[in-house]
Amino acid sequence: MPITGIYGPEDFDQPAHGHSPVPARGRANPAGRAGALPMPSLEWTPEVERSTAHLYERVKNVISPLEWPLMAPTIKAINELKKTRGAVILAHNYQTPEIFHCVADIRGDSLQLAIEASKVKSDIIVQCGVHFMAETSKILNPHKTVLIPDSRAGCSLASSITGADVRLLRERFPGVPVVAYVNTSADVKAEVDICCTSSNAVQVVESLNAPTVIFLPDQYLAKYVATQTDVKIIAWKGACEVHERFTGDELRAYREADPTVQIIAHPECPPDVLAEADFTGSTAHMINWVRNKHPKRVVMITECSMADNVQAELPDVEMVRPCNLCPHMKRITLPKILDSLVLLREEVTVDPLIAERARRSVERMINLKN
Ligand code: 13P
Ligand code: SF4
């Protein structure tokens, strides 16, 4: 059914909205000078070539032999430092192939990363993704050190709403339960009943057994959920700056050029885009769809690096990749990951009282999954 309403900051009589596109910066070096290790050598040597050859095999379809000597020394250094530090690297599906395939220990969509973060044994987590993902890891691991290689890696959805906005929504719609997409700050997660990701949004909404649910902050994911359930949805005006750029016209043009092409899209896209897609799902569901269907040619309507990561794994599937990059995800680079491990920076912190309340919303979602 159509969504019941879409609200934004302008719908509430409140002081100027303090949204920042960029989250607060993490602590630069929590361990201080004493915690820093010497910067390893980054020379391209025969030994580096030999010891990284197995990693190059994984990415040789998407990284040229000319590029590899520039990356391999840093990859080797990161993998050695991970052992020295006892650290684990979590990487989202939108990370570039040299990160995703060559240094990450745990890879996945937002739901998989949250579930895996709740099971991590290492004392140090390096989150290769955006700030809300690192915050989620910290919320689930309050006693561990969570590092993000660049804490300016924000998200247009997370910066579209604050905890104060959620409180105003609750006043406007008393008794209506609130679901927050994980693409939100800890402050927002602390105010809601349960979190969801694009993998489980419909399941989470229906789990509340309520006739109406407030679903925030992604208006397009809210619209998609509304097409899959009889629950009435009240939405927020947020949008992903990467997925909202796709258009139905663009997808129709691909189909006109090749009527046999398969098109798969992420539910953060606008409805006219999803109407043209053969399949809609989270990043993990999209990857599994390609693995299982093994199409001859597929257009991936999502962040562009994911198509590179799938291409590395499935060289015989022709990927058409309209290149919409997420500028926040792309802040994470090999040199910054290395700095993170050498200098133990930038540490992600969450106020313990907020973290405790936010943890309830995240764990309620994870337990639903289990
Ligand atoms: P998922 O990987 O959960 O589908 O999320 C996509 C996204 O945009 C994350 O920022
Ligand atoms: Fe946020 Fe969109 Fe970037 Fe994901 S792709 S981090 S939703 S801006």
Side-chain angles (χ1 to χ4, degrees), residues 163-178:
D165 293 324
V166 182
R167 290 192 291 276
L168 289 165
L169 277 165
R170 282 203 190 274
E171 274 171 33
R172 177 80 57 101
F173 301 103
V176 178
V178 185

Side-chain angles (χ1 to χ4, degrees), residues 61 90 161 211 249 251 261 326:
N61 304 314
L90 270 57
I161 189 161
D249 283 349
L251 271 63
V261 77
C326 172

Side-chain angles (χ1 to χ4, degrees), residues 248-280:
D249 283 349
E250 198 179 341
L251 271 63
R252 280 186 287 278
Y254 286 120
R255 260 198 222 291
E256 269 165 37
D258 175 4
T260 68
V261 77
Q262 297 291 301
I263 305 182
I264 62 176
H266 194 276
E268 288 172 10
C269 295
D272 66 320
V273 172
L274 300 185
E276 295 296 329
D278 296 302
F279 173 76
T280 298

Side-chain angles (χ1 to χ4, degrees), residues 75-369:
I75 288 170
K76 181 173 188 285
I78 289 170
N79 286 331
E80 285 172 359
L81 266 172
K82 270 195 313 194
K83 288 191 197 129
T84 314
R85 289 290 196 195
V88 66
I89 295 187
L90 270 57
H92 185 261
N93 291 327
Y94 293 162
Q95 292 296 294
T96 47
E98 68 280 10
I99 296 173
F100 189 82
H101 288 291
C102 301
V103 300
D105 300 295
I106 296 168
R107 311 166 183 89
D109 70 357
S110 309
L111 181 61
Q112 291 166 326
L113 293 181
I115 291 171
E116 292 305 322
S118 69
K119 301 180 193 158
V120 161
K121 298 271 181 291
S122 317
D123 288 332
I124 299 177
I125 297 172
V126 181
Q127 192 89 28
C128 295
V130 291
H131 194 266
F132 75 79
M133 295 176 175
E135 260 191 352
T136 305
S137 290
K138 182 66 185 178
I139 288 166
L140 292 168
N141 294 282
H143 305 300
K144 294 189 193 294
T145 299
V146 176
L147 306 173
I148 184 161
D150 188 333
S151 67
R152 294 169 301 170
C155 169
S156 62
L157 282 169
S159 62
S160 72
I161 189 161
T162 64
D165 293 324
V166 182
R167 290 192 291 276
L168 289 165
L169 277 165
R170 282 203 190 274
E171 274 171 33
R172 177 80 57 101
F173 301 103
V176 178
V178 185
V179 176
Y181 195 24
V182 283
N183 298 39
T184 45
S185 63
D187 195 33
V188 167
K189 289 183 175 81
E191 297 292 338
V192 305
D193 295 288
I194 186 166
C195 287
C196 77
T197 73
S198 53
S199 275
N200 61 13
V202 177
Q203 185 198 357
V204 167
V205 164
E206 294 191 337
S207 76
L208 295 168
N209 291 319
T212 307
V213 162
I214 298 171
F215 186 97
L216 52 88
D218 187 350
Q219 59 181 296
Y220 297 126
L221 182 59
K223 283 181 182 164
Y224 173 70
V225 170
T227 65
Q228 307 292 308
T229 180
D230 291 331
V231 178
K232 285 195 191 115
I233 305 287
I234 297 167
W236 186 253
K237 274 185 193 156
C240 161
E241 67 188 82
V242 177
H243 291 92
E244 74 173 343
R245 297 212 306 268
F246 292 107
T247 64
D249 283 349
E250 198 179 341
L251 271 63
R252 280 186 287 278
Y254 286 120
R255 260 198 222 291
E256 269 165 37
D258 175 4
T260 68
V261 77
Q262 297 291 301
I263 305 182
I264 62 176
H266 194 276
E268 288 172 10
C269 295
D272 66 320
V273 172
L274 300 185
E276 295 296 329
D278 296 302
F279 173 76
T280 298
S282 73
T283 57
H285 291 165
M286 290 171 83
I287 294 170
N288 285 338
W289 188 95
V290 180
R291 279 187 189 136
N292 294 336
K293 299 264 177 195
H294 222 96
K296 196 166 136 296
R297 180 182 278 166
V298 61
V299 189
M300 296 272 228
I301 301 296
T302 191
E303 211 269 354
C304 179
S305 294
M306 192 170 101
D308 293 337
N309 290 331
V310 180
Q311 184 75 88
E313 182 190 325
L314 302 171
D316 52 335
V317 176
E318 187 189 330
M319 300 281 164
V320 182
R321 37 198 131 169
C323 207
N324 284 0
L325 288 169
C326 172
H328 312 292
M329 288 279 180
K330 300 300 86 116
R331 283 190 181 276
I332 310 301
T333 61
L334 286 176
K336 287 186 202 166
I337 299 169
L338 182 60
D339 277 358
S340 242
L341 286 164
V342 168
L343 302 168
L344 289 181
R345 74 174 193 194
E346 302 176 37
E347 187 176 3
V348 176
T349 55
V350 181
D351 177 303
L353 291 177
I354 291 177
E356 196 185 316
R357 291 168 61 217
R359 188 156 48 247
R360 269 184 247 144
S361 310
V362 178
E363 283 181 346
R364 193 172 169 192
M365 168 188 80
I366 291 175
N367 293 339
L368 197 67
K369 165 83 181 167

Side-chain angles (χ1 to χ4, degrees), residues 7-17 164-165 168-169 171-172:
Y7 292 80
E10 67 278 12
D11 296 304
F12 297 97
D13 187 16
Q14 59 171 319
H17 212 64
D165 293 324
L168 289 165
L169 277 165
E171 274 171 33
R172 177 80 57 101

